[in-house]
Every structure is written in C-alpha cells, then in structure tokens.
Amino acid sequence: MKDDQQQAAAMPGMRVMEKRVTVSRRAFLKGSGLAAAGVTALSAGSLMLPARDALAAEFTHLGADIGKTLLVMARDIFPHDKISDRYYMLAIEPYDAAAAKDPALAKLIGDGVAQLNALAQANFKAPYAEVPTETERLTLLYTIEHGAFFQKIKGDMVTGFYNNKAVWPLFGEEGSSWEKGGYIARGFDDIDWLPKA
C-alpha cells in the first residue's frame, strides 16, 4: 500500500487521498437519529412488505397486483438500474386515479395486465412481476408490444418518467436554464477535462 502511495505521489498532478473513513461521534449520532426518525415514520404494515410491494399497495382502485405489474413493466421498458422504483412509481401512479374516473382505461389496463400475466404463467409458471429475469420478461413484452395496452404504458412513460424534474439530476441534466440567464454564462464552456487548443 505504501508503494502505491509513493508511486502516486511521484506522478505529477495526482492527488493522494487517504482511504480511511473518519466519522465523528456527533455525525454518527446525528445520522443514527435521522435513521430512527425515518423508521418511526413508516407504518407497521409497510415495514412488513418488500419495497416494491409497498409502493404497489398505493394502487387503491386498480389493486396492488396491477400496480406491481405496471411498476415492473415500466422498469423493463425503460431500464435504469441506478434509479429507484419510487421514480418509476411517480410516473405510473396517476393511472390509479385516472382509472377510477375512466372505465375504458381501467378495462385497458386490467385486460392488458391479465394478458401479460397469462403469458407469464404459460411460459414461466409465475405472474409477470414474479418472472425472475429481465430477459425473460422482455420476451413477454415483445409478444404484446404492438397492442394498445403496451403502447399506452410506453407512450405515457416517456413523458411521465422523463419529464419528472426530480429525475433530471439523476441523469446529469440541470433542467431549464432560460429563467437563470441561459447556459452561456453558467458553465457552457466549463469543460476542464479537455486539453486546451
């Protein structure tokens, strides 16, 4: 380890960072206090459910099973492994309220999920949301990709997911700039990793 540090120190422009993590007693107590407060804010019922099931339980009209299927389907259509389920949930949760007011939408979603689950049962002996691998679930989505249900979910996810300002920083997008004077004076040419010409 000392050899690595000596080699790094000998290289010009390299910074040597100590790998030891230091946490003060105050920071530890503050962090553990915040964690305890977060746990007490959760309901006892949601603590007993896996995270994906707890999110899907918010579907009061369509039902938790449909909510979970839509959540897994949304992740399979637009896969971003480092983005939490809650951001996908923000894009699909409006379906529950809309389906309560629109029987045609409720039927489209209910029938579409039933068809997807039937395909999953026939091929993998499990409902779609329980099929273990993304590759296997994608084979099922390719089967229904030209149908109205798939096109509705895919089309709405483009705007519902990617137009969510909470998601933009996760992709490195700063968002709108016009109200801040544009990007010309705010980092347009701040590329310090390219060699100067």
PDB file of all heavy atoms in Angstrom, residues 58-90:
ATOM      1  N   GLU A  58     -50.089   1.292  -2.999  1.00  0.00           N
ATOM      2  CA  GLU A  58     -50.720   2.597  -3.159  1.00  0.00           C
ATOM      3  C   GLU A  58     -51.798   2.594  -4.246  1.00  0.00           C
ATOM      4  O   GLU A  58     -52.562   3.540  -4.356  1.00  0.00           O
ATOM      5  CB  GLU A  58     -49.657   3.651  -3.472  1.00  0.00           C
ATOM      6  CG  GLU A  58     -48.676   3.858  -2.335  1.00  0.00           C
ATOM      7  CD  GLU A  58     -47.582   4.849  -2.668  1.00  0.00           C
ATOM      8  OE1 GLU A  58     -47.752   5.630  -3.629  1.00  0.00           O
ATOM      9  OE2 GLU A  58     -46.566   4.835  -1.972  1.00  0.00           O
ATOM     10  N   PHE A  59     -51.865   1.542  -5.040  1.00  0.00           N
ATOM     11  CA  PHE A  59     -52.905   1.425  -6.062  1.00  0.00           C
ATOM     12  C   PHE A  59     -54.190   0.952  -5.393  1.00  0.00           C
ATOM     13  O   PHE A  59     -54.431  -0.241  -5.249  1.00  0.00           O
ATOM     14  CB  PHE A  59     -52.466   0.440  -7.158  1.00  0.00           C
ATOM     15  CG  PHE A  59     -51.624   1.061  -8.230  1.00  0.00           C
ATOM     16  CD1 PHE A  59     -50.332   1.466  -7.972  1.00  0.00           C
ATOM     17  CD2 PHE A  59     -52.141   1.255  -9.497  1.00  0.00           C
ATOM     18  CE1 PHE A  59     -49.562   2.053  -8.949  1.00  0.00           C
ATOM     19  CE2 PHE A  59     -51.371   1.834 -10.496  1.00  0.00           C
ATOM     20  CZ  PHE A  59     -50.077   2.238 -10.215  1.00  0.00           C
ATOM     21  N   THR A  60     -55.016   1.877  -4.989  1.00  0.00           N
ATOM     22  CA  THR A  60     -56.231   1.522  -4.256  1.00  0.00           C
ATOM     23  C   THR A  60     -57.381   1.142  -5.185  1.00  0.00           C
ATOM     24  O   THR A  60     -58.204   0.316  -4.823  1.00  0.00           O
ATOM     25  CB  THR A  60     -56.662   2.688  -3.354  1.00  0.00           C
ATOM     26  OG1 THR A  60     -56.817   3.871  -4.153  1.00  0.00           O
ATOM     27  CG2 THR A  60     -55.636   2.934  -2.267  1.00  0.00           C
ATOM     28  N   HIS A  61     -57.441   1.729  -6.378  1.00  0.00           N
ATOM     29  CA  HIS A  61     -58.542   1.408  -7.287  1.00  0.00           C
ATOM     30  C   HIS A  61     -58.221   0.182  -8.152  1.00  0.00           C
ATOM     31  O   HIS A  61     -59.012  -0.753  -8.226  1.00  0.00           O
ATOM     32  CB  HIS A  61     -58.877   2.608  -8.185  1.00  0.00           C
ATOM     33  CG  HIS A  61     -59.997   2.337  -9.135  1.00  0.00           C
ATOM     34  ND1 HIS A  61     -61.308   2.251  -8.726  1.00  0.00           N
ATOM     35  CD2 HIS A  61     -60.000   2.097 -10.461  1.00  0.00           C
ATOM     36  CE1 HIS A  61     -62.069   1.971  -9.775  1.00  0.00           C
ATOM     37  NE2 HIS A  61     -61.294   1.885 -10.844  1.00  0.00           N
ATOM     38  N   LEU A  62     -57.071   0.201  -8.806  1.00  0.00           N
ATOM     39  CA  LEU A  62     -56.700  -0.908  -9.684  1.00  0.00           C
ATOM     40  C   LEU A  62     -56.214  -2.127  -8.911  1.00  0.00           C
ATOM     41  O   LEU A  62     -56.300  -3.246  -9.406  1.00  0.00           O
ATOM     42  CB  LEU A  62     -55.611  -0.462 -10.670  1.00  0.00           C
ATOM     43  CG  LEU A  62     -56.047   0.530 -11.743  1.00  0.00           C
ATOM     44  CD1 LEU A  62     -54.846   1.066 -12.498  1.00  0.00           C
ATOM     45  CD2 LEU A  62     -57.035  -0.116 -12.705  1.00  0.00           C
ATOM     46  N   GLY A  63     -55.673  -1.914  -7.734  1.00  0.00           N
ATOM     47  CA  GLY A  63     -55.184  -3.019  -6.910  1.00  0.00           C
ATOM     48  C   GLY A  63     -53.668  -3.122  -6.928  1.00  0.00           C
ATOM     49  O   GLY A  63     -53.000  -2.724  -7.895  1.00  0.00           O
ATOM     50  N   ALA A  64     -53.136  -3.666  -5.860  1.00  0.00           N
ATOM     51  CA  ALA A  64     -51.686  -3.769  -5.684  1.00  0.00           C
ATOM     52  C   ALA A  64     -51.037  -4.678  -6.728  1.00  0.00           C
ATOM     53  O   ALA A  64     -49.917  -4.413  -7.167  1.00  0.00           O
ATOM     54  CB  ALA A  64     -51.359  -4.265  -4.278  1.00  0.00           C
ATOM     55  N   ASP A  65     -51.722  -5.750  -7.140  1.00  0.00           N
ATOM     56  CA  ASP A  65     -51.135  -6.652  -8.133  1.00  0.00           C
ATOM     57  C   ASP A  65     -50.916  -5.943  -9.469  1.00  0.00           C
ATOM     58  O   ASP A  65     -49.870  -6.103 -10.107  1.00  0.00           O
ATOM     59  CB  ASP A  65     -52.011  -7.888  -8.337  1.00  0.00           C
ATOM     60  CG  ASP A  65     -51.994  -8.821  -7.131  1.00  0.00           C
ATOM     61  OD1 ASP A  65     -51.012  -8.753  -6.356  1.00  0.00           O
ATOM     62  OD2 ASP A  65     -52.943  -9.593  -6.973  1.00  0.00           O
ATOM     63  N   ILE A  66     -51.906  -5.152  -9.877  1.00  0.00           N
ATOM     64  CA  ILE A  66     -51.761  -4.389 -11.128  1.00  0.00           C
ATOM     65  C   ILE A  66     -50.682  -3.325 -10.954  1.00  0.00           C
ATOM     66  O   ILE A  66     -49.863  -3.107 -11.845  1.00  0.00           O
ATOM     67  CB  ILE A  66     -53.107  -3.782 -11.565  1.00  0.00           C
ATOM     68  CG1 ILE A  66     -54.035  -4.899 -12.057  1.00  0.00           C
ATOM     69  CG2 ILE A  66     -52.917  -2.716 -12.638  1.00  0.00           C
ATOM     70  CD1 ILE A  66     -55.399  -4.451 -12.506  1.00  0.00           C
ATOM     71  N   GLY A  67     -50.647  -2.680  -9.794  1.00  0.00           N
ATOM     72  CA  GLY A  67     -49.625  -1.678  -9.533  1.00  0.00           C
ATOM     73  C   GLY A  67     -48.222  -2.254  -9.614  1.00  0.00           C
ATOM     74  O   GLY A  67     -47.322  -1.656 -10.217  1.00  0.00           O
ATOM     75  N   LYS A  68     -48.034  -3.426  -9.038  1.00  0.00           N
ATOM     76  CA  LYS A  68     -46.710  -4.064  -9.064  1.00  0.00           C
ATOM     77  C   LYS A  68     -46.336  -4.461 -10.491  1.00  0.00           C
ATOM     78  O   LYS A  68     -45.196  -4.275 -10.914  1.00  0.00           O
ATOM     79  CB  LYS A  68     -46.706  -5.287  -8.152  1.00  0.00           C
ATOM     80  CG  LYS A  68     -45.357  -5.941  -8.019  1.00  0.00           C
ATOM     81  CD  LYS A  68     -45.399  -7.078  -7.011  1.00  0.00           C
ATOM     82  CE  LYS A  68     -44.059  -7.768  -6.900  1.00  0.00           C
ATOM     83  NZ  LYS A  68     -44.094  -8.874  -5.943  1.00  0.00           N
ATOM     84  N   THR A  69     -47.302  -4.983 -11.242  1.00  0.00           N
ATOM     85  CA  THR A  69     -47.037  -5.362 -12.630  1.00  0.00           C
ATOM     86  C   THR A  69     -46.659  -4.145 -13.459  1.00  0.00           C
ATOM     87  O   THR A  69     -45.699  -4.185 -14.241  1.00  0.00           O
ATOM     88  CB  THR A  69     -48.258  -6.076 -13.238  1.00  0.00           C
ATOM     89  OG1 THR A  69     -48.562  -7.230 -12.453  1.00  0.00           O
ATOM     90  CG2 THR A  69     -48.012  -6.483 -14.671  1.00  0.00           C
ATOM     91  N   LEU A  70     -47.391  -3.040 -13.289  1.00  0.00           N
ATOM     92  CA  LEU A  70     -47.070  -1.818 -14.038  1.00  0.00           C
ATOM     93  C   LEU A  70     -45.690  -1.283 -13.661  1.00  0.00           C
ATOM     94  O   LEU A  70     -44.951  -0.807 -14.523  1.00  0.00           O
ATOM     95  CB  LEU A  70     -48.137  -0.746 -13.789  1.00  0.00           C
ATOM     96  CG  LEU A  70     -49.509  -0.998 -14.399  1.00  0.00           C
ATOM     97  CD1 LEU A  70     -50.478   0.093 -13.983  1.00  0.00           C
ATOM     98  CD2 LEU A  70     -49.432  -1.097 -15.914  1.00  0.00           C
ATOM     99  N   LEU A  71     -45.339  -1.386 -12.394  1.00  0.00           N
ATOM    100  CA  LEU A  71     -44.033  -0.916 -11.938  1.00  0.00           C
ATOM    101  C   LEU A  71     -42.898  -1.725 -12.563  1.00  0.00           C
ATOM    102  O   LEU A  71     -41.934  -1.175 -13.087  1.00  0.00           O
ATOM    103  CB  LEU A  71     -43.961  -0.977 -10.415  1.00  0.00           C
ATOM    104  CG  LEU A  71     -42.701  -0.469  -9.746  1.00  0.00           C
ATOM    105  CD1 LEU A  71     -42.432   0.975 -10.105  1.00  0.00           C
ATOM    106  CD2 LEU A  71     -42.817  -0.623  -8.238  1.00  0.00           C
ATOM    107  N   VAL A  72     -43.039  -3.039 -12.551  1.00  0.00           N
ATOM    108  CA  VAL A  72     -42.011  -3.904 -13.151  1.00  0.00           C
ATOM    109  C   VAL A  72     -41.966  -3.696 -14.658  1.00  0.00           C
ATOM    110  O   VAL A  72     -40.891  -3.625 -15.267  1.00  0.00           O
ATOM    111  CB  VAL A  72     -42.267  -5.384 -12.791  1.00  0.00           C
ATOM    112  CG1 VAL A  72     -41.308  -6.307 -13.525  1.00  0.00           C
ATOM    113  CG2 VAL A  72     -42.156  -5.598 -11.286  1.00  0.00           C
ATOM    114  N   MET A  73     -43.129  -3.556 -15.272  1.00  0.00           N
ATOM    115  CA  MET A  73     -43.203  -3.334 -16.716  1.00  0.00           C
ATOM    116  C   MET A  73     -42.521  -2.018 -17.089  1.00  0.00           C
ATOM    117  O   MET A  73     -41.767  -1.956 -18.065  1.00  0.00           O
ATOM    118  CB  MET A  73     -44.673  -3.324 -17.147  1.00  0.00           C
ATOM    119  CG  MET A  73     -44.895  -3.159 -18.614  1.00  0.00           C
ATOM    120  SD  MET A  73     -46.679  -3.166 -18.956  1.00  0.00           S
ATOM    121  CE  MET A  73     -46.661  -2.748 -20.679  1.00  0.00           C
ATOM    122  N   ALA A  74     -42.773  -0.968 -16.319  1.00  0.00           N
ATOM    123  CA  ALA A  74     -42.158   0.331 -16.589  1.00  0.00           C
ATOM    124  C   ALA A  74     -40.636   0.238 -16.497  1.00  0.00           C
ATOM    125  O   ALA A  74     -39.917   0.797 -17.334  1.00  0.00           O
ATOM    126  CB  ALA A  74     -42.686   1.374 -15.600  1.00  0.00           C
ATOM    127  N   ARG A  75     -40.142  -0.492 -15.513  1.00  0.00           N
ATOM    128  CA  ARG A  75     -38.690  -0.658 -15.369  1.00  0.00           C
ATOM    129  C   ARG A  75     -38.117  -1.464 -16.526  1.00  0.00           C
ATOM    130  O   ARG A  75     -36.994  -1.213 -16.961  1.00  0.00           O
ATOM    131  CB  ARG A  75     -38.363  -1.364 -14.055  1.00  0.00           C
ATOM    132  CG  ARG A  75     -38.514  -0.495 -12.837  1.00  0.00           C
ATOM    133  CD  ARG A  75     -37.684  -1.037 -11.704  1.00  0.00           C
ATOM    134  NE  ARG A  75     -36.294  -0.782 -11.951  1.00  0.00           N
ATOM    135  CZ  ARG A  75     -35.594   0.221 -11.407  1.00  0.00           C
ATOM    136  NH1 ARG A  75     -36.168   1.041 -10.578  1.00  0.00           N
ATOM    137  NH2 ARG A  75     -34.329   0.383 -11.685  1.00  0.00           N
ATOM    138  N   ASP A  76     -38.879  -2.432 -17.025  1.00  0.00           N
ATOM    139  CA  ASP A  76     -38.391  -3.244 -18.136  1.00  0.00           C
ATOM    140  C   ASP A  76     -38.394  -2.475 -19.453  1.00  0.00           C
ATOM    141  O   ASP A  76     -37.524  -2.690 -20.300  1.00  0.00           O
ATOM    142  CB  ASP A  76     -39.228  -4.516 -18.274  1.00  0.00           C
ATOM    143  CG  ASP A  76     -38.976  -5.503 -17.151  1.00  0.00           C
ATOM    144  OD1 ASP A  76     -37.929  -5.393 -16.479  1.00  0.00           O
ATOM    145  OD2 ASP A  76     -39.835  -6.384 -16.941  1.00  0.00           O
ATOM    146  N   ILE A  77     -39.352  -1.589 -19.647  1.00  0.00           N
ATOM    147  CA  ILE A  77     -39.427  -0.811 -20.884  1.00  0.00           C
ATOM    148  C   ILE A  77     -38.333   0.256 -20.907  1.00  0.00           C
ATOM    149  O   ILE A  77     -37.683   0.477 -21.925  1.00  0.00           O
ATOM    150  CB  ILE A  77     -40.816  -0.166 -21.057  1.00  0.00           C
ATOM    151  CG1 ILE A  77     -41.888  -1.251 -21.226  1.00  0.00           C
ATOM    152  CG2 ILE A  77     -40.833   0.770 -22.256  1.00  0.00           C
ATOM    153  CD1 ILE A  77     -43.307  -0.719 -21.222  1.00  0.00           C
ATOM    154  N   PHE A  78     -38.128   0.924 -19.778  1.00  0.00           N
ATOM    155  CA  PHE A  78     -37.115   1.974 -19.665  1.00  0.00           C
ATOM    156  C   PHE A  78     -36.175   1.628 -18.516  1.00  0.00           C
ATOM    157  O   PHE A  78     -36.301   2.161 -17.415  1.00  0.00           O
ATOM    158  CB  PHE A  78     -37.771   3.339 -19.431  1.00  0.00           C
ATOM    159  CG  PHE A  78     -38.622   3.780 -20.580  1.00  0.00           C
ATOM    160  CD1 PHE A  78     -39.998   3.698 -20.508  1.00  0.00           C
ATOM    161  CD2 PHE A  78     -38.050   4.263 -21.741  1.00  0.00           C
ATOM    162  CE1 PHE A  78     -40.794   4.103 -21.574  1.00  0.00           C
ATOM    163  CE2 PHE A  78     -38.832   4.668 -22.811  1.00  0.00           C
ATOM    164  CZ  PHE A  78     -40.203   4.585 -22.723  1.00  0.00           C
ATOM    165  N   PRO A  79     -35.226   0.720 -18.751  1.00  0.00           N
ATOM    166  CA  PRO A  79     -34.377   0.239 -17.652  1.00  0.00           C
ATOM    167  C   PRO A  79     -33.261   1.221 -17.292  1.00  0.00           C
ATOM    168  O   PRO A  79     -32.469   1.612 -18.141  1.00  0.00           O
ATOM    169  CB  PRO A  79     -33.797  -1.056 -18.210  1.00  0.00           C
ATOM    170  CG  PRO A  79     -33.779  -0.860 -19.684  1.00  0.00           C
ATOM    171  CD  PRO A  79     -34.947   0.032 -20.007  1.00  0.00           C
ATOM    172  N   HIS A  80     -33.244   1.606 -16.050  1.00  0.00           N
ATOM    173  CA  HIS A  80     -32.166   2.414 -15.480  1.00  0.00           C
ATOM    174  C   HIS A  80     -31.883   1.815 -14.101  1.00  0.00           C
ATOM    175  O   HIS A  80     -32.585   2.112 -13.137  1.00  0.00           O
ATOM    176  CB  HIS A  80     -32.568   3.888 -15.356  1.00  0.00           C
ATOM    177  CG  HIS A  80     -32.878   4.528 -16.665  1.00  0.00           C
ATOM    178  ND1 HIS A  80     -31.889   4.887 -17.557  1.00  0.00           N
ATOM    179  CD2 HIS A  80     -34.058   4.856 -17.239  1.00  0.00           C
ATOM    180  CE1 HIS A  80     -32.453   5.433 -18.631  1.00  0.00           C
ATOM    181  NE2 HIS A  80     -33.762   5.412 -18.465  1.00  0.00           N
ATOM    182  N   ASP A  81     -30.888   0.968 -14.028  1.00  0.00           N
ATOM    183  CA  ASP A  81     -30.628   0.199 -12.816  1.00  0.00           C
ATOM    184  C   ASP A  81     -30.332   1.054 -11.593  1.00  0.00           C
ATOM    185  O   ASP A  81     -30.605   0.651 -10.471  1.00  0.00           O
ATOM    186  CB  ASP A  81     -29.472  -0.784 -13.037  1.00  0.00           C
ATOM    187  CG  ASP A  81     -29.839  -1.864 -14.033  1.00  0.00           C
ATOM    188  OD1 ASP A  81     -31.043  -2.125 -14.212  1.00  0.00           O
ATOM    189  OD2 ASP A  81     -28.922  -2.448 -14.649  1.00  0.00           O
ATOM    190  N   LYS A  82     -29.773   2.237 -11.789  1.00  0.00           N
ATOM    191  CA  LYS A  82     -29.387   3.054 -10.647  1.00  0.00           C
ATOM    192  C   LYS A  82     -30.495   3.981 -10.175  1.00  0.00           C
ATOM    193  O   LYS A  82     -30.301   4.760  -9.253  1.00  0.00           O
ATOM    194  CB  LYS A  82     -28.135   3.861 -10.987  1.00  0.00           C
ATOM    195  CG  LYS A  82     -26.928   2.973 -11.209  1.00  0.00           C
ATOM    196  CD  LYS A  82     -25.680   3.763 -11.461  1.00  0.00           C
ATOM    197  CE  LYS A  82     -24.527   2.798 -11.650  1.00  0.00           C
ATOM    198  NZ  LYS A  82     -23.262   3.470 -11.875  1.00  0.00           N
ATOM    199  N   ILE A  83     -31.653   3.905 -10.807  1.00  0.00           N
ATOM    200  CA  ILE A  83     -32.766   4.773 -10.421  1.00  0.00           C
ATOM    201  C   ILE A  83     -33.781   3.958  -9.633  1.00  0.00           C
ATOM    202  O   ILE A  83     -34.176   2.870 -10.031  1.00  0.00           O
ATOM    203  CB  ILE A  83     -33.394   5.442 -11.656  1.00  0.00           C
ATOM    204  CG1 ILE A  83     -32.355   6.369 -12.270  1.00  0.00           C
ATOM    205  CG2 ILE A  83     -34.654   6.188 -11.297  1.00  0.00           C
ATOM    206  CD1 ILE A  83     -32.804   7.148 -13.448  1.00  0.00           C
ATOM    207  N   SER A  84     -34.196   4.507  -8.522  1.00  0.00           N
ATOM    208  CA  SER A  84     -35.086   3.834  -7.580  1.00  0.00           C
ATOM    209  C   SER A  84     -36.487   3.604  -8.170  1.00  0.00           C
ATOM    210  O   SER A  84     -36.953   4.359  -9.029  1.00  0.00           O
ATOM    211  CB  SER A  84     -35.190   4.696  -6.321  1.00  0.00           C
ATOM    212  OG  SER A  84     -36.218   4.253  -5.486  1.00  0.00           O
ATOM    213  N   ASP A  85     -37.158   2.590  -7.626  1.00  0.00           N
ATOM    214  CA  ASP A  85     -38.539   2.294  -8.027  1.00  0.00           C
ATOM    215  C   ASP A  85     -39.477   3.473  -7.784  1.00  0.00           C
ATOM    216  O   ASP A  85     -40.456   3.643  -8.490  1.00  0.00           O
ATOM    217  CB  ASP A  85     -39.074   1.086  -7.252  1.00  0.00           C
ATOM    218  CG  ASP A  85     -38.597  -0.231  -7.797  1.00  0.00           C
ATOM    219  OD1 ASP A  85     -38.016  -0.258  -8.896  1.00  0.00           O
ATOM    220  OD2 ASP A  85     -38.807  -1.261  -7.124  1.00  0.00           O
ATOM    221  N   ARG A  86     -39.183   4.291  -6.781  1.00  0.00           N
ATOM    222  CA  ARG A  86     -40.118   5.373  -6.447  1.00  0.00           C
ATOM    223  C   ARG A  86     -40.256   6.377  -7.582  1.00  0.00           C
ATOM    224  O   ARG A  86     -41.314   6.974  -7.761  1.00  0.00           O
ATOM    225  CB  ARG A  86     -39.731   6.052  -5.142  1.00  0.00           C
ATOM    226  CG  ARG A  86     -38.491   6.865  -5.179  1.00  0.00           C
ATOM    227  CD  ARG A  86     -38.161   7.399  -3.775  1.00  0.00           C
ATOM    228  NE  ARG A  86     -36.881   8.021  -3.765  1.00  0.00           N
ATOM    229  CZ  ARG A  86     -36.702   9.329  -3.687  1.00  0.00           C
ATOM    230  NH1 ARG A  86     -37.734  10.123  -3.595  1.00  0.00           N
ATOM    231  NH2 ARG A  86     -35.486   9.831  -3.687  1.00  0.00           N
ATOM    232  N   TYR A  87     -39.201   6.570  -8.391  1.00  0.00           N
ATOM    233  CA  TYR A  87     -39.299   7.491  -9.520  1.00  0.00           C
ATOM    234  C   TYR A  87     -40.172   6.898 -10.627  1.00  0.00           C
ATOM    235  O   TYR A  87     -40.908   7.614 -11.305  1.00  0.00           O
ATOM    236  CB  TYR A  87     -37.912   7.839 -10.063  1.00  0.00           C
ATOM    237  CG  TYR A  87     -37.101   8.635  -9.073  1.00  0.00           C
ATOM    238  CD1 TYR A  87     -36.067   8.047  -8.362  1.00  0.00           C
ATOM    239  CD2 TYR A  87     -37.389   9.969  -8.826  1.00  0.00           C
ATOM    240  CE1 TYR A  87     -35.328   8.776  -7.446  1.00  0.00           C
ATOM    241  CE2 TYR A  87     -36.663  10.701  -7.915  1.00  0.00           C
ATOM    242  CZ  TYR A  87     -35.631  10.096  -7.217  1.00  0.00           C
ATOM    243  OH  TYR A  87     -34.910  10.814  -6.314  1.00  0.00           O
ATOM    244  N   TYR A  88     -40.093   5.600 -10.812  1.00  0.00           N
ATOM    245  CA  TYR A  88     -40.984   4.931 -11.768  1.00  0.00           C
ATOM    246  C   TYR A  88     -42.421   4.997 -11.255  1.00  0.00           C
ATOM    247  O   TYR A  88     -43.359   5.173 -12.025  1.00  0.00           O
ATOM    248  CB  TYR A  88     -40.560   3.473 -11.964  1.00  0.00           C
ATOM    249  CG  TYR A  88     -39.317   3.309 -12.793  1.00  0.00           C
ATOM    250  CD1 TYR A  88     -38.059   3.275 -12.201  1.00  0.00           C
ATOM    251  CD2 TYR A  88     -39.391   3.195 -14.171  1.00  0.00           C
ATOM    252  CE1 TYR A  88     -36.914   3.127 -12.970  1.00  0.00           C
ATOM    253  CE2 TYR A  88     -38.250   3.050 -14.944  1.00  0.00           C
ATOM    254  CZ  TYR A  88     -37.015   3.012 -14.336  1.00  0.00           C
ATOM    255  OH  TYR A  88     -35.885   2.875 -15.093  1.00  0.00           O
ATOM    256  N   MET A  89     -42.573   4.853  -9.946  1.00  0.00           N
ATOM    257  CA  MET A  89     -43.905   4.897  -9.346  1.00  0.00           C
ATOM    258  C   MET A  89     -44.564   6.255  -9.577  1.00  0.00           C
ATOM    259  O   MET A  89     -45.770   6.319  -9.819  1.00  0.00           O
ATOM    260  CB  MET A  89     -43.785   4.586  -7.852  1.00  0.00           C
ATOM    261  CG  MET A  89     -45.096   4.349  -7.187  1.00  0.00           C
ATOM    262  SD  MET A  89     -45.867   2.871  -7.865  1.00  0.00           S
ATOM    263  CE  MET A  89     -47.366   2.871  -6.943  1.00  0.00           C
ATOM    264  N   LEU A  90     -43.783   7.323  -9.514  1.00  0.00           N
ATOM    265  CA  LEU A  90     -44.339   8.655  -9.768  1.00  0.00           C
ATOM    266  C   LEU A  90     -44.928   8.757 -11.175  1.00  0.00           C
ATOM    267  O   LEU A  90     -45.880   9.495 -11.396  1.00  0.00           O
ATOM    268  CB  LEU A  90     -43.258   9.726  -9.580  1.00  0.00           C
ATOM    269  CG  LEU A  90     -42.777   9.958  -8.157  1.00  0.00           C
ATOM    270  CD1 LEU A  90     -41.588  10.906  -8.149  1.00  0.00           C
ATOM    271  CD2 LEU A  90     -43.901  10.489  -7.282  1.00  0.00           C
TER     272      LEU A  90
END
